[in-house]
């Protein structure tokens, strides 16, 4: 394990590319190379927009005591992503890969940028070249695996990890392999190897993602006690990914896994902070960090779905929901969840014609599909908005019956929110309150007074989300 930094340093000295510098800087952070970090941080800042914004932030954190460096930083660390700027960077990357076709990181960066622009075929071709040039490199392999998961191709995602150099001895690659299998509803064939390696590792930062992956596996197997033990070990010095997984596990295991000060002190833990705020009911805060998470991982569908969901349900801010959904659909044009959230936002904003057009393209899932109840509820909303009240009630009722059978409290809450709001909009206050109370009796924890306040006090809710509007405005640049 001690040779990782030396190898990364040799790779950078031989290539002097932004990709190899990023890998060296990340490895220096992991292995806490205090003597080298200031120098590497300045190298990161000198390259400006050739380096991902997240690493630029980390470099500034390393140099936080050097006021001159920080004040003279020549790049914008806002969440704004300008399409023209991305296109200019793509042009530079294309010239670079022509000049240096063997630069795997240039091809990797080109794939990332194409994905950001929604040009997925070009993104895949660039990633395939990066793999042909350097399929054994850990960073390339992990990025390619994530790319293929983004493309709903878990088989390829798993394959690129197994082909990487040192796969069976690398905790980062094994953690990704276990996670890919879990996301596919399967069990990794490398669990025995992964468990053995995790027990041997002494550097908790290096082992944190593997530990969280193994803890998740124990939970899936019903061994919650063991899952808690491993998760708490892995949260001692976690990466951002491990931190987010720890927060998620805490909600599933109903246990304290990650210390609050660890989440608060993590500079780029936007995903973890968003989920932590969500679980404690701080909706505006959760949305704020969801937008930060989306700006940090603009090609990822998860922050876009999460943020647009919060905006539409708990914040009732449909402009925000629409902006986030549209932003997410650039890189994820086939996301059913994002397209559904867009329909809900359009209908709730009174743009019924546009909503119906989008809803037709959305398509009706099979009745046994998990998202069929969502489709029924959205259909009910559209029927209400067209003045077909009884048909709307019938669609919501069918959705509610299916939700009750599944015992899905969150779905029940959301469905009740929207139908109650439609009844209230029509002046049927008694019907609106009755819906909330009925759902409360079935699922518990839902009181008409608090729930109706969440539905009707739009001014209060919108005031709590006004601080987010500036960030949302910045997402519109890509539309």
């Amino acid at each position: 394990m001690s040779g990782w930094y030396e190898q990364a340093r040799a790779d950078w000295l031989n290539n002097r590319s932004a990709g190899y510098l990023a890998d060296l800087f990340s490895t220096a952070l992991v292995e806490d190379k205090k003597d080298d970090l200031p120098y590497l941080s300045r190298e990161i800042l000198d390259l400006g927009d050739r380096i991902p914004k997240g690493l630029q932030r980390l470099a500034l954190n390393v140099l936080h005591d050097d006021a001159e460096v920080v004040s003279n930083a020549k790049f914008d660390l806002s969440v704004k992503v300008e399409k023209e700027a991305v296109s200019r960077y793509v042009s530079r990357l294309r010239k670079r890969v022509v000049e240096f076709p063997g630069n795997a990181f240039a091809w990797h960066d080109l794939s990332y940028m194409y994905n950001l622009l929604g040009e997925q075929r070009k993104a895949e071709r660039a990633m395939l070249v990066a793999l042909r040039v350097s399929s054994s490199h850990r960073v390339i392999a992990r990025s390619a695996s994530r790319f293929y998961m983004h493309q709903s191709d878990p088989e390829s995602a798993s394959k690129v990890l197994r082909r990487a150099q040192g796969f069976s001895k690398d905790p980062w690659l094994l953690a990704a392999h276990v996670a890919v299998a879990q996301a596919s509803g399967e069990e990794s064939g490398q669990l025995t190897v992964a468990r053995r390696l995790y027990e041997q590792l002494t550097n908790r930062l290096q082992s944190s993602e593997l530990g969280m992956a193994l803890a998740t596996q124990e939970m899936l197997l019903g061994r919650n006690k063991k899952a808690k033990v491993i998760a708490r070990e892995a949260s001692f010095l976690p990466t951002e990914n491990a931190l987010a997984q720890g927060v998620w596990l805490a909600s599933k295991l109903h246990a304290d896994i990650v210390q609050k000060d660890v989440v608060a002190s993590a500079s780029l833990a936007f995903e973890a902070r968003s989920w932590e705020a969500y679980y404690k009911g701080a909706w505006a805060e959760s949305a704020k960090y969801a937008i930060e998470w989306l700006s940090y991982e603009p090609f990822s569908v998860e922050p876009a779905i999460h943020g647009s969901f919060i905006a539409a349900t708990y914040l009732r801010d449909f402009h925000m929901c629409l902006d986030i959904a549209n932003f997410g659909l650039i890189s994820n044009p086939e996301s059913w969840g994002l397209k559904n959230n867009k329909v809900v936002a359009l209908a709730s904003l009174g743009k019924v014609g546009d909503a119906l057009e989008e809803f037709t393209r959305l398509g009706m899932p099979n009745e046994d599909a998990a998202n069929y109840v969502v489709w029924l509820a959205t259909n009910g909303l559209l029927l209400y908005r067209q003045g077909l009240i009884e048909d709307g009630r019938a669609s919501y009722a069918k959705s509610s019956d299916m939700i009750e059978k599944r015992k899905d409290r969150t779905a029940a809450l959301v469905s009740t929110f929207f139908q109650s709001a439609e009844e209230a909009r029509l002046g049927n206050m008694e019907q609106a309150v009755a819906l909330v109370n009925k759902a409360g009796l079935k699922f518990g924890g839902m009181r008409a007074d608090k729930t109706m306040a969440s539905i009707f006090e739009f001014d209060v809710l919108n005031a709590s989300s006004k601080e987010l509007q500036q960030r949302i405005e910045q997402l519109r640049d890509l539309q």
Side-chain angles (χ1 to χ4, degrees), residues 76-249:
D76 179 19
L77 292 180
S78 71
V79 301
K80 187 172 183 178
V81 182
E82 295 182 357
K83 191 171 184 177
E84 289 186 4
V86 174
S87 297
R88 288 195 299 271
Y89 189 37
V90 166
S91 297
R92 290 201 297 272
L93 284 171
R94 290 177 63 182
K95 291 178 182 178
R96 194 179 307 163
V97 297
V98 170
E99 186 177 0
F100 302 104
N103 187 332
F105 280 97
W107 286 105
H108 163 274
D109 291 350
L110 185 59
S111 174
Y112 176 91
M113 290 300 166
Y114 275 139
N115 220 337
L116 182 57
L117 292 173
E119 300 184 28
Q120 296 184 354
R121 289 185 179 179
K122 292 181 179 179
E124 183 173 12
R125 287 199 294 269
M127 184 59 76
L128 285 172
V129 176
L131 285 170
R132 282 199 293 269
V133 172
S134 184
S135 63
S136 63
H137 197 287
R138 181 205 311 153
V139 174
I140 298 295
R142 276 172 59 99
S143 294
S145 178
R146 186 166 185 174
F147 172 83
Y148 284 119
M149 288 301 290
H150 179 70
Q151 301 294 327
S152 301
D153 186 359
E155 184 177 350
S156 295
S158 178
K159 187 181 297 183
V160 296
L161 292 168
R162 294 196 305 270
R163 289 178 175 175
Q165 183 178 3
F167 167 67
S168 62
K169 296 180 180 179
D170 191 317
W172 308 93
L173 295 175
L174 284 170
H177 190 270
V178 173
V180 165
Q182 291 167 350
S184 308
E186 300 176 359
E187 188 175 289
S188 170
Q190 302 295 319
L191 281 175
T192 300
V193 175
R195 288 181 176 124
R196 186 183 305 121
L197 179 61
Y198 178 72
E199 292 173 357
Q200 294 171 353
L201 290 170
T202 57
N203 186 317
R204 283 306 174 199
L205 187 59
Q206 289 180 355
S207 65
S208 62
E209 291 190 24
L210 181 58
M212 287 300 181
L214 293 175
T216 302
Q217 189 64 45
E218 295 299 329
M219 184 193 71
L220 294 173
L221 294 173
R223 298 196 285 255
N224 289 358
K225 185 175 181 180
K226 190 170 184 180
K228 292 175 186 177
V229 171
I230 298 175
R232 284 172 178 143
E233 289 177 351
S235 68
F236 180 72
L237 193 60
T239 65
E240 279 77 15
N241 287 337
L243 199 57
Q245 189 71 2
V247 171
W248 179 81
L249 278 171

Side-chain angles (χ1 to χ4, degrees), residues 384-404:
Y384 267 98
R385 290 290 169 147
Q386 295 174 83
L388 303 172
I389 310 306
E390 292 304 321
D391 291 340
R393 288 170 178 163
S395 192
Y396 269 115
K398 186 175 181 180
S399 176
S400 296
D401 288 343
M402 295 183 71
I403 290 171
E404 185 176 358

Side-chain angles (χ1 to χ4, degrees), residues 384 416 419-420 423 430-440 446:
Y384 267 98
T416 300
Q419 188 180 6
S420 297
E423 292 290 350
E430 290 185 6
Q431 177 75 0
V433 173
L435 283 167
V436 175
N437 287 334
K438 182 180 178 181
M446 292 171 60

Side-chain angles (χ1 to χ4, degrees), residues 286-308:
S286 183
K288 171 187 173 183
Y289 285 119
I291 294 169
E292 294 278 15
W293 175 16
L294 180 58
S295 70
Y296 187 55
E297 300 180 26
F299 59 87
S300 179
V301 71
E302 287 85 1
I305 288 180
H306 182 55
S308 59

Side-chain angles (χ1 to χ4, degrees), residues 189-474:
Q190 302 295 319
L191 281 175
T192 300
V193 175
R195 288 181 176 124
R196 186 183 305 121
L197 179 61
Y198 178 72
E199 292 173 357
Q200 294 171 353
L201 290 170
T202 57
N203 186 317
R204 283 306 174 199
L205 187 59
Q206 289 180 355
S207 65
S208 62
E209 291 190 24
L210 181 58
M212 287 300 181
L214 293 175
T216 302
Q217 189 64 45
E218 295 299 329
M219 184 193 71
L220 294 173
L221 294 173
R223 298 196 285 255
N224 289 358
K225 185 175 181 180
K226 190 170 184 180
K228 292 175 186 177
V229 171
I230 298 175
R232 284 172 178 143
E233 289 177 351
S235 68
F236 180 72
L237 193 60
T239 65
E240 279 77 15
N241 287 337
L243 199 57
Q245 189 71 2
V247 171
W248 179 81
L249 278 171
S251 72
K252 300 299 179 183
L253 295 170
H254 305 291
D256 292 329
I257 299 296
V258 182
Q259 297 297 317
K260 291 184 178 180
D261 60 336
V262 174
V263 178
S265 63
S267 59
L268 297 174
F270 306 127
E271 180 182 357
R273 291 180 182 179
S274 182
W275 283 113
E276 182 187 48
Y278 177 83
Y279 291 131
K280 69 182 183 183
W283 314 124
E285 183 182 352
S286 183
K288 171 187 173 183
Y289 285 119
I291 294 169
E292 294 278 15
W293 175 16
L294 180 58
S295 70
Y296 187 55
E297 300 180 26
F299 59 87
S300 179
V301 71
E302 287 85 1
I305 288 180
H306 182 55
S308 59
F309 171 79
I310 295 171
T313 53
Y314 302 114
L315 293 180
R316 302 285 294 178
D317 190 330
F318 299 109
H319 288 289
M320 180 190 296
C321 175
L322 183 60
D323 287 333
I324 295 176
N326 279 334
F327 185 90
L329 284 167
I330 295 171
S331 295
N332 302 276
E334 300 305 316
S335 169
W336 195 94
L338 285 179
K339 289 191 285 188
N340 178 77
N341 291 354
K342 181 176 181 177
V343 171
V344 170
L346 287 169
S348 301
L349 290 170
K351 301 177 181 180
V352 180
D354 292 340
L356 286 170
E357 187 177 335
E358 293 289 340
F359 191 63
T360 300
R361 287 199 288 265
L362 181 65
M364 182 176 72
N366 295 326
E367 291 197 16
D368 58 349
N371 58 351
Y372 181 63
V373 295
V374 179
W375 183 89
L376 284 171
T378 303
N379 182 57
L381 172 63
L382 287 170
L383 289 167
Y384 267 98
R385 290 290 169 147
Q386 295 174 83
L388 303 172
I389 310 306
E390 292 304 321
D391 291 340
R393 288 170 178 163
S395 192
Y396 269 115
K398 186 175 181 180
S399 176
S400 296
D401 288 343
M402 295 183 71
I403 290 171
E404 185 176 358
K405 290 176 183 178
R406 297 180 183 182
K407 299 180 179 179
D408 188 336
R409 185 179 180 279
T410 299
L413 176 64
V414 171
S415 179
T416 300
F417 262 31
F418 278 92
Q419 188 180 6
S420 297
E422 290 307 301
E423 292 290 350
R425 189 176 61 86
L426 296 169
N428 302 327
M429 300 300 293
E430 290 185 6
Q431 177 75 0
V433 173
L435 283 167
V436 175
N437 287 334
K438 182 180 178 181
L441 288 173
K442 288 181 179 179
F443 294 94
M446 292 171 60
R447 291 177 53 197
D449 54 350
K450 290 185 178 180
T451 305
M452 298 307 287
S454 295
I455 294 171
F456 301 130
E457 291 181 10
F458 297 122
D459 290 339
V460 175
L461 287 170
N462 285 336
S464 69
S465 63
K466 281 178 182 177
E467 64 182 274
L468 306 179
Q469 292 307 315
Q470 185 176 2
R471 296 178 184 278
I472 285 294
E473 288 292 334
Q474 294 166 343

